[in-house]
Each structure stands twice: as structure tokens, then as C-alpha cells.
């Protein structure tokens, strides 16, 4: 069998139909290679083989003994049960105990007379020695050789515990791994020999052997160090090759023009740009001036002035004879961007119109819900080049939309767009347009290097002058209801002082099945199930219900309006316009206001059921207040118990305004499954050993090596093994995972 194919061997051939079927359906393991990369999540220590007469207290031991008797006892008025098993080995007796759901399997298997090996930690209960929930291996009394072998192999070892499922226990997975472990010898090693030797890594076959069947803890560490490196390195090579391929694409250089739109715009700015904005603008202008497409990620704290930086880049492209498109994830946001950009530009956004500047250009909006006449005019302005800037939703990507000369695409909130949309927009230019991706979710450095590894990164971490601090407090509604009453008083005080407020709820309400997006549906389903199991867990609070309560109660007499995703786009736009104009005191909304909504007069935000939102999402929401000269206030209302992780999360949000610090906390709590796995792209993450939050140094070092290797040998002609492993990683799903980030 050749070196690659043994890893590609279907598990069906080696393990039998039933096991292979469960592995495929429940663990997504299909080939020998898949199973060899299904690493143990932890290891149990087994002590030395010890006679029952010599058991040491508080130590891990292994005993070889026979079941004398086993009985189930009820406790807690029959609600709980435990299994007690008495063992004997001729030298003494020992009690085993199993609780709860853990009693069923041993009750069936540990029958009087059965002989087995048992491993666990010795404790004392009611002055008797016992092992609680030991691991065990039954011995076949009829097969003396097997029993001898097991007695030799079982004690003193580290027992691998595999990620398992209800249909397949860890020990059965371990047995299956034993069957495929000889194939580890055929592992294709992706690391170039010089790198492997230079860093003193264990050869890959040995690392696989050590991770599955370690003799010592040092074996485990050794294997992990090697396997983490492989994952980081292969991923970084894939990203480095993508970046290299991008530098080979042609693009039209767009250089700033003296006395053009940009200069006219800068001249009328009522403030000076921050140092950060100047620095990031220079990075972008340098990229735009090259003859291959810019691919840059612009990370910026909420309110750090990303839109200003993006707009100046768009004006530069228009000055250089091209067009710029800004893609927003929702209609509300596209309309908001259009409004704020036309306001910032003033008469410069009215090119060719009466009262417009002769240096100006047309700024058009294109969304799916526009009327036919307006849409036709917008499309015409794009194809003739009359409109230098277009702002829209994914409606911009449709086939009908043609540009005169698309030079720059700005994507707002990248994670909401997949690779298909990005490519569709790219194909609208005569040559690939430059690409600027903006995100207001601060991303820790390693995640940026992993998720957005094909983009160069710019960071805006200063807030513009005139931005006010935001005070954040947790309001424990259940423990201290008077705190919630005080929260509504604070809202009233702000309104009386001429300001406005947001109230955010997780759900729309009206018991309509259609919750906002798939997430809403899932959340609703989960909360309904939870409330059946535990009456304490009610469905999340809803916009329509809270707005109604506030109008009748705590905020009676104030103008209270709602905003959510099920409203007609014109209706949404009307509410946002009136809120922006100051005609609405309190806006009760879902997270549609999370990004991009800019109303400087809004000073207070109350987030209901705040524990139902993620850390980054709360930080985003909070960024909607304190955008003017008056200080902002964010009140996080929660019924979560004081000692719960949910409350700890809210306290972390209240304690810092540093988005990067919060994104780190968020990541530590969610782990990166959410960041790199299904939440992002619908395919399983290729990272099994590497954790992007803990392995910062590994990722940074792997990136450095990958960049050097790709620069020297872009096609990896001299590294066939690396090419083979890369091809396996970058099958269609993985390509998509990398692209979507």
C-alpha cells in the first residue's frame, strides 16, 4: 500500500459496518486518516497493580479482582440510585460505587463471578475503602492468553479518553484506533526536514503513536507540540499561498490626485483626523497605488472612525477615475451608511445635480426593496459612471448590476459575507478591484492571523476627539427589582435632559414563529425547551411586549417606537429617520441596531436579558451610545444568578471598554469552535489540537516559517509532502472555510 492511500482507506473496510456507520454519522470520521487525527481529549491515570489487602489511601491504583456481589440502592426518596459492587481477590475486599446515569452499564456487566481489571483513586466512605466510578476492563475467563495480556497492558498506563458520542463509547473508539494505528507509519510528513530538525520535532508517525498510546506524560506533551505545529503550519502555508496568489493578480493602481474630491472633502472636515486614522489611511493609500489588488482588513473599535477612513479611500478611487462600492449586511445599515456618507460629503455627493459641487460625484443607494424607477436610475448611474460611489446590500451582487469601472469594494462586517459574494463582486471589475474589509468586532491577533490570514490587517484603536466615556452597569433584575425601576428612571432623566435612549431585546415577539434569522429560531426553540424542563427558564424578552409595557408603565408619556427585522424596509427607515431627527425618545429594538447606527444624541442603552447576548455583541451594542459630547450609559439587565458564568460575563463587559480585551474573554469562554468552526462556515474546523487563544506563539512562528517557504517556492515544487497534505486540507470545504473566515 502506498504512503498516502492507507490514510485514505475507508474505515468501513477495517472496522465493520456498524462501527464505521456510527463514526461517519455522529463523529464525521470516514477514513483511517480521520480516525488517526481524532485525538484523545484527556488521559486518565491508572495506578500500579495492587492487591486489595495493600490499598494506599488517596492514590491511583489498578486491581485485578472478581465481583462478589452487586446491588442497586435507592436514596433521596427514590429519586436517586447508586450501584454498589463488592470485589474480592483472595487477599481482601473492596467496594465500588457508581451513581446516576453511570449505573446502567456496570449493572449489566459486573455480574457476580465476573473477573475484571478496575482502575481509580482509593477513598474512604463509612470507614470502608472504595473506588468511585472506576474505569474497568472485563476479562474473558475462557481466554487465558488475552487475560494475561490485559493484566500486562492495563495497569500503570495513561488511558486515552476520546471525544465520543452516545452511540460509541470512548473505549470502543480506543479499540478502533488500535486497529488503524499501524497505518500511522504511512503518515505523510508536511514539515520540511530542515524545519523539523531545526526545531527538534518528533517524526510524525511517532507523534501519532505517542498521542494515542502514551507511556508517560512527557510522551503526550511531545506529541501535542508536534501536532499543534503541523496544524498551524499547514494552515499558514495555505494562507500565505493565497496572499501570494493575490499579489500576482493585476489591478488598476488608484493614486491620489491633487485638488480632487479627497482634498475638497478634507478641507471641509470640521475636525482633524486622529493619528490612527492618518496612519491607517496611509497604509490603504499605499496599497491602492500598487498594481495588484489590495486585500486589507480594517479592525476598529466601535466608533473609532472606520467609515471615515473607508470614505477617504473611496474618494481617492473616484479621483483616480474609478468607482467604489460599499457592501452592508442589512438594508437598515446600507441606508444608514448612505445617509451618513451623503451628510459628511454635503454638496460633494451631488455631482451633476443643481447645487452640487463641480468636483463632486453622485452617491447612490441600491437595495432589494427600492422602487423600480429609483432602482433603474441607480443602475443607469452605475453603468455610465455618473455615480462614483454606491452603497448597498447584497443586491449589488446581482447579475443585472454593471459598473463603469469598479476600483474598490468596501465590505462592512466581513463575517456576514461568504466567499461566493466576495468573488461575485470581484468579477464586476474589468480587473479585480481593491478590497477593504471592515469589522467592528475586535479580533485577537492570533484569530486575525488564522481566520483573516489572507488579509493584511490595519487596526484603529483610538477614539476620535469629542467621544465621551460610556459607564456600564449590571442591573440584577431578579435579586434587586428596585435596580430595574431605577434604570427606567435614569432613562426618563436622560430624555428630560433632551437626550434619547435605546432598549434592546433578544426577540421580536408577537409569538410569530419567524424569529430574526436562524439564530433567533434556534434561541426560541432552546428557550421553549428550557422552560418546559425548568419553569424558571422563560423565553427571552421581546421587543413588542417590552415596548407595550414601557408605554403603559415606566415610560408612559414618552414617545416609544419599535425597530426589528420583520418590519417593511420603508417602515424601518422611517423609524430610524425620526429617531435620528430626535422625534422619538426611546427606540425598543432587536440587534438590528448592533452595527453602524449613528445617533449622537442617544446617551443611554438598556439591554434586556443581557446574558442572552455574546460578549462581543454587547460591546457592539454599547458602542451605539456616547457618540456625541454627552457621556453614555449602558445598563445590562439580567435575571441570571449572581454566581453564574452568565453574570461573570456581564461583569467583564461592564468592567472594560477595551474591545480587544473583551474579545479575548469571549474567545476563552466560547473557545474557538465557534470562531473557526461551524458558526463561521458550516464546515468542521480543521483545527483539532491547536487552540488559537492559547497557542499564540506557535501560530506566529508557523506564519513566519510559512511566509519564508512560500516566498522561496510558491508552487511548493521541492516539498511534495507538504503539497499532498495541503491538497487534503484544501478540498472544497476547507477552501470555503478559509475564504469565509
Amino acid at each position: 500500500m502506498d504512503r498516502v492511500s492507507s490514510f485514505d482507506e475507508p474505515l468501513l473496510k477495517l472496522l465493520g459496518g456498524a462501527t464505521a456507520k456510527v463514526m461517519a454519522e455522529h463523529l464525521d470520521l470516514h477514513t483511517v486518516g480521520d480516525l488517526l487525527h481524532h485525538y484523545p481529549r484527556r488521559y486518565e491515570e491508572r495506578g500500579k497493580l495492587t492487591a486489595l489487602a495493600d490499598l494506599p489511601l488517596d492514590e491511583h491504583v489498578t486491581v485485578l479482582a472478581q465481583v462478589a456481589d452487586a446491588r442497586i440502592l435507592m436514596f433521596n426518596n427514590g429519586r436517586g440510585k447508586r450501584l454498589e459492587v463488592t470485589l474480592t481477590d483472595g487477599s481482601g475486599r473492596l467496594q465500588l460505587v457508581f451513581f446516576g446515569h453511570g449505573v446502567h452499564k456496570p449493572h449489566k456487566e459486573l455480574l457476580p463471578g465476573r473477573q475484571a481489571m478496575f482502575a481509580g483513586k482509593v477513598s474512604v466512605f463509612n470507614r470502608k475503602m472504595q473506588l468511585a466510578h472506576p474505569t474497568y476492563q472485563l476479562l474473558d475467563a475462557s481466554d487465558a492468553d488475552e487475560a494475561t495480556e490485559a493484566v500486562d497492558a492495563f495497569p500503570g498506563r495513561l488511558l486515552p479518553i476520546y471525544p465520543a458520542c452516545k452511540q460509541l463509547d470512548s473505549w470502543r473508539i480506543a479499540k478502533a484506533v488500535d486497529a488503524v494505528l499501524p497505518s500511522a507509519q504511512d503518515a505523510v510528513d508536511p514539515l520540511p526536514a530542515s524545519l523539523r530538525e531545526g526545531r527538534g520535532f518528533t517524526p510524525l508517525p511517532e507523534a501519532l503513536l505517542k498521542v494515542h498510546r502514551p507511556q508517560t506524560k512527557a510522551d503526550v506533551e511531545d506529541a501535542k507540540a508536534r501536532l499543534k505545529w503541523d496544524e498551524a503550519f499547514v494552515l499558514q502555508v495555505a494562507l500565505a499561498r493565497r496572499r501570494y496568489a493575490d499579489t500576482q493578480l493585476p489591478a488598476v493602481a488608484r493614486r491620489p490626485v491633487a485638488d480632487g474630491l479627497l482634498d475638497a472633502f478634507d478641507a471641509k472636515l470640521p475636525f482633524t483626523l486622529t493619528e490612527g486614522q492618518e496612519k491607517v489611511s496611509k497604509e490603504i493609500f499605499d496599497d491602492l497605488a500598487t498594481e495588484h489588488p489590495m486585500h486589507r482588513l480594517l479592525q476598529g473599535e466601535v466608533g473609532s472612525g472606520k467609515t471615515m477612513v473607508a470614505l477617504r479611500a473611496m474618494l481617492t478611487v473616484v479621483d483616480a477615475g474609478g468607482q467604489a462600492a460599499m457592501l452592508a449586511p442589512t438594508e437598515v445599515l446600507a441606508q444608514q451608511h448612505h445617509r451618513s456618507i451623503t451628510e459628511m460629503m454635503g454638496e460633494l455627493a451631488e455631482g451633476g445635480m443643481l447645487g452640487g459641487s463641480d468636483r463632486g460625484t453622485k452617491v447612490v443607494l441600491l437595495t432589494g426593496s427600492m422602487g423600480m424607477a429609483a432602482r433603474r436610475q441607480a443602475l443607469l448611474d452605475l453603468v455610465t459612471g455618473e455615480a462614483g460611489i454606491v452603497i448597498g446590500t447584497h443586491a449589488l451582487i446581482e447579475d443585472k448590476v454593471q459598473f463603469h469601472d469598479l476600483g474598490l469594494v468596501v465590505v462592512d462586517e466581513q463575517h456576514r459575507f461568504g466567499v461566493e459574494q466576495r468573488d461575485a463582486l470581484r468579477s464586476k471589475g474589468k480587473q479585480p478591484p481593491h478590497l477593504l474589509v471592515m469589522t467592528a468586532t475586535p479580533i485577537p491577533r492570533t484569530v486575525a492571523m488564522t481566520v483573516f490570514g489572507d488579509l493584511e490587517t490595519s487596526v484603529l484603536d483610538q477614539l476620535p476627539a469629542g467621544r465621551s466615556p460610556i459607564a456600564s452597569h449590571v442591573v440584577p433584575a431578579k435579586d434587586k427589582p428596585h435596580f430595574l425601576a431605577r434604570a427606567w428612571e435614569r432613562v426618563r432623566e436622560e430624555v428630560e435632559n433632551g437626550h434619547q435612549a435605546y432598549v434592546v431585546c433578544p426577540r421580536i415577539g408577537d409569538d410569530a414563529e419567524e424569529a430574526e434569522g436562524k439564530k433567533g429560531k434556534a434561541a426560541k426553540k432552546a428557550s421553549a425547551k428550557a422552560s418546559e424542563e425548568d419553569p424558571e427558564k422563560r423565553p427571552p424578552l421581546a421587543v413588542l411586549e417590552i415596548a407595550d409595557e414601557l408605554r403603559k408603565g415606566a415610560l408612559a408619556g414618552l414617545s416609544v417606537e419599535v425597530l426589528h427585522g420583520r418590519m417593511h424596509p420603508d417602515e424601518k427607515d422611517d423609524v430610524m429617520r425620526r429617531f435620528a431627527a430626535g422625534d422619538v425618545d426611546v427606540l425598543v429594538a432587536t440587534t438590528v441596531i448592533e452595527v453602524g447606527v449613528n445617533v449622537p444624541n442617544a446617551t443611554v442603552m438598556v439591554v434586556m436579558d443581557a446574558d442572552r447576548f455574546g460578549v462581543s455583541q454587547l460591546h457592539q451594542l454599547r458602542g451605539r451610545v456616547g457618540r456625541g459630547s454627552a457621556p453614555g450609559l449602558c445598563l445590562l439587565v439580567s435575571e441570571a444568578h449572581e454566581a453564574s458564568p452568565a453574570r461573570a460575563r456581564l461583569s467583564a463587559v461592564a468592567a472594560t471598554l477595551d474591545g480587544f480585551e473583551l474579545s479575548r474573554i469571549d474567545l476563552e469562554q466560547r473557545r474557538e469552535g465557534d470562531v473557526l468552526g461551524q458558526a463561521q462556515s458550516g464546515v468542521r474546523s480543521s483545527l483539532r489540537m491547536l487552540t488559537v487563544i492559547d497557542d499564540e506563539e506557535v501560530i506566529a512562528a508557523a506564519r513566519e516559517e510559512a511566509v519564508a517557504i512560500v516566498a522561496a517556492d510558491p508552487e511548493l515544487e521541492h516539498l511534495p509532502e507538504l503539497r499532498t497534505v495541503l491538497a487534503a486540507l484544501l478540498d472544497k470545504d476547507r477552501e470555503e472555510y478559509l475564504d469565509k473566515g
Side-chain angles (χ1 to χ4, degrees):
M1 190 184 291
D2 71 41
R3 299 179 67 207
V4 187
S5 60
S6 69
F7 262 48
D8 294 336
E9 187 88 20
L11 288 172
L12 194 59
K13 274 192 181 178
L14 292 163
L15 302 180
T19 305
K21 187 169 186 259
V22 171
M23 284 192 168
E25 285 176 9
H26 297 279
L27 297 169
D28 197 14
L29 305 174
H30 306 272
T31 65
V32 167
D34 288 345
L35 184 52
L36 285 174
H37 288 302
H38 187 70
Y39 306 130
R41 56 189 167 85
R42 61 186 177 85
Y43 301 86
E44 269 182 11
E45 286 184 69
R46 290 185 185 149
K48 290 203 301 274
L49 192 57
T50 309
L52 295 186
D54 307 326
L55 292 176
L57 195 57
D58 279 341
E59 281 190 29
H60 286 276
V61 296
T62 298
V63 297
L64 168 60
Q66 197 170 34
V67 176
D69 73 81
R71 60 189 185 280
I72 284 194
L73 303 172
M74 305 304 247
F75 61 93
N76 205 355
N77 289 333
R79 283 200 298 277
K81 54 180 164 186
R82 73 173 179 268
L83 170 67
E84 287 185 359
V85 179
T86 308
L87 301 181
T88 174
D89 70 348
S91 77
R93 293 169 85 77
L94 172 68
Q95 190 166 294
L96 312 179
V97 62
F98 300 87
F99 292 99
H101 296 305
V103 306
H104 306 303
K105 192 164 157 269
H107 187 227
K108 273 193 247 167
E109 295 181 334
L110 299 178
L111 305 171
R114 283 303 305 253
Q115 199 175 33
M117 312 278 297
F118 300 89
K121 193 175 182 184
V122 183
S123 59
V124 168
F125 181 71
N126 278 348
R127 295 203 293 272
K128 277 188 191 161
M129 293 262 199
Q130 73 166 24
L131 298 182
H133 279 282
T135 51
Y136 60 87
Q137 183 177 331
L138 298 170
L139 299 177
D140 185 351
S142 64
D143 189 337
D145 288 347
E146 192 198 13
T148 311
E149 212 175 283
V151 170
D152 289 343
F154 190 85
R157 282 282 173 86
L158 289 169
L159 176 71
I161 306 297
Y162 287 91
C165 60
K166 203 166 70 185
Q167 297 79 357
L168 203 62
D169 292 344
S170 170
W171 70 272
R172 287 190 196 278
I173 295 172
K175 260 190 129 139
V177 169
D178 284 337
V180 302
L181 212 46
S183 297
Q185 292 309 318
D186 301 327
V188 176
D189 198 325
L191 296 192
S194 57
L195 194 160
R196 190 171 63 239
E197 287 150 19
R199 290 185 176 267
F201 284 131
T202 305
L204 185 55
E206 194 184 317
L208 288 169
L209 206 60
K210 281 179 170 178
V211 80
H212 288 294
R213 298 295 172 263
Q215 302 290 325
T216 62
K217 286 181 181 173
D219 280 355
V220 175
E221 292 315 307
D222 208 15
K224 278 186 171 178
R226 168 67 217 252
L227 296 167
K228 276 181 181 183
W229 239 91
D230 280 18
E231 286 178 7
F233 177 71
V234 172
L235 187 55
Q236 291 302 335
V237 168
L239 292 164
R241 289 188 75 194
R242 167 148 311 178
R243 285 193 303 276
Y244 178 84
D246 285 341
T247 64
Q248 303 307 299
L249 290 172
V252 179
R254 312 282 179 173
R255 298 184 179 88
V257 172
D259 292 331
L261 249 178
L262 180 64
D263 285 351
F265 176 75
D266 284 351
K268 63 194 276 302
L269 277 182
F271 51 81
T272 53
L273 297 175
T274 64
E275 238 175 274
Q277 285 174 317
E278 293 276 16
K279 178 177 145 288
V280 169
S281 287
K282 184 182 181 322
E283 290 171 352
I284 292 170
F285 291 162
D286 288 350
D287 281 1
L288 289 174
T290 61
E291 288 179 354
H292 59 80
M294 162 172 82
H295 288 103
R296 191 165 279 282
L297 172 70
L298 172 55
Q299 292 189 55
E301 274 290 13
V302 177
S304 58
K306 291 184 302 297
T307 311
M308 172 62 70
V309 168
L311 176 54
R312 294 181 76 244
M314 295 193 324
L315 295 176
T316 302
V317 169
V318 175
D319 274 343
Q323 290 169 295
M326 184 186 247
L327 206 51
T330 64
E331 295 214 352
V332 167
L333 196 47
Q335 288 158 344
Q336 174 77 36
H337 275 317
H338 182 253
R339 197 160 43 243
S340 62
I341 282 174
T342 47
E343 278 166 13
M344 280 196 263
M345 286 176 66
E347 77 280 2
L348 296 173
E350 296 163 3
M353 293 157 75
L354 273 176
S357 159
D358 52 359
R359 277 189 292 189
T361 187
K362 232 183 192 186
V363 178
V364 299
L365 177 69
L366 190 63
T367 62
S369 66
M370 280 168 77
M372 274 313 290
R375 187 179 170 76
R376 204 172 289 125
Q377 185 57 53
L379 290 171
L380 188 65
D381 289 340
L382 285 179
V383 78
T384 59
E386 189 79 15
I389 294 176
V390 58
I391 294 145
T393 54
H394 56 274
L396 276 177
I397 298 165
E398 289 172 13
D399 290 344
K400 287 186 218 106
V401 182
Q402 298 298 322
F403 290 86
H404 177 64
D405 180 10
L406 181 60
L408 169 67
V409 176
V410 178
V411 179
D412 193 8
E413 294 300 309
Q414 151 78 2
H415 55 276
R416 300 168 189 240
F417 284 99
V419 58
E420 304 85 1
Q421 288 100 319
R422 209 157 99 177
D423 284 348
L425 247 182
R426 266 185 196 160
S427 65
K428 299 273 182 195
K430 292 171 184 165
Q431 289 192 333
H434 298 280
L435 177 71
L436 179 65
V437 170
M438 300 199 296
T439 177
T441 310
I443 303 164
R445 180 170 156 262
T446 43
V447 181
M449 286 196 307
T450 311
V451 182
F452 296 107
D454 60 333
L455 301 168
E456 299 300 329
T457 305
S458 293
V459 178
L460 271 178
D461 47 13
Q462 280 173 296
L463 290 189
R467 275 301 166 92
S468 304
I470 305 170
S472 305
H473 303 284
V474 179
V475 178
K478 201 168 191 176
D479 313 342
K480 299 178 177 166
H482 59 287
F483 275 37
L484 181 58
R486 175 71 190 122
W488 299 126
E489 278 172 28
R490 281 292 291 115
V491 170
R492 203 174 261 288
E493 285 163 17
E494 287 297 311
V495 173
E496 280 163 7
N497 287 332
H499 297 301
Q500 292 158 279
Y502 295 103
V503 177
V504 179
C505 304
R507 198 163 59 93
I508 299 173
D510 215 11
D511 291 331
E513 249 322 289
E514 183 200 353
E516 221 161 16
K518 286 180 191 164
K519 274 189 193 162
K521 253 182 199 165
K524 201 168 172 187
K525 220 174 186 176
S527 69
K529 185 173 182 242
S531 49
E532 275 169 38
E533 289 168 15
D534 177 0
E536 295 293 314
K537 287 184 180 164
R538 50 164 181 71
L541 294 171
V543 167
L544 300 175
E545 289 145 29
I546 292 290
D548 211 35
E549 279 174 34
L550 291 175
R551 285 187 194 113
K552 290 174 185 161
L555 302 181
L558 301 186
S559 154
V560 177
E561 294 273 4
V562 300
L563 181 72
H564 57 74
R566 280 208 314 266
M567 288 162 66
H568 187 275
D570 291 349
E571 215 183 333
K572 281 193 277 197
D573 201 35
D574 176 56
V575 172
M576 269 319 301
R577 268 181 200 287
R578 289 188 294 114
F579 187 63
D583 301 336
V584 173
D585 298 323
V586 180
L587 186 63
V588 185
T590 55
T591 54
V592 291
I593 60 142
E594 179 187 345
V595 282
V597 174
N598 184 26
V599 180
N601 191 45
T603 53
V604 59
M605 169 169 290
V606 182
V607 183
M608 306 304 291
D609 274 345
D611 46 281
R612 313 248 180 165
F613 297 95
V615 169
S616 294
Q617 204 172 23
L618 289 170
H619 182 58
Q620 290 287 322
L621 287 166
R622 168 171 63 186
R624 300 299 113 214
V625 295
R627 298 175 79 87
S629 51
L633 173 66
C634 178
L635 301 172
L636 305 169
V637 180
S638 168
E639 290 190 2
H641 189 274
E642 195 168 356
S644 66
R647 274 286 286 280
R649 215 167 58 228
L650 295 183
S651 301
V653 174
T656 178
L657 289 173
D658 180 344
F660 285 92
E661 174 57 26
L662 286 173
S663 69
R664 199 172 182 88
I665 292 167
D666 193 19
L667 198 55
E668 277 167 359
Q669 289 183 342
R670 291 187 298 142
R671 303 312 296 176
E672 51 289 321
D674 285 359
V675 181
L676 297 179
Q678 282 155 328
Q680 290 289 344
S681 62
V683 291
R684 198 176 61 165
S685 159
S686 64
L687 304 187
R688 293 176 178 81
M689 187 65 83
L690 193 73
T691 55
V692 293
I693 196 73
D694 300 326
D695 298 318
E696 202 160 322
E697 283 158 27
V698 176
I699 292 169
R703 181 181 173 114
E704 222 169 277
E705 294 277 11
V707 168
I709 280 168
V710 171
D713 181 4
E715 294 305 314
L716 307 178
E717 284 170 20
H718 306 295
L719 298 166
E721 291 85 2
L722 177 54
R723 227 176 36 239
T724 302
V725 173
L726 211 53
L729 173 82
L730 296 182
D731 55 28
K732 189 155 181 353
D733 282 353
R734 298 278 188 266
E735 274 283 8
E736 216 163 284
Y737 145 70
L738 279 178
D739 243 327
K740 286 187 174 173

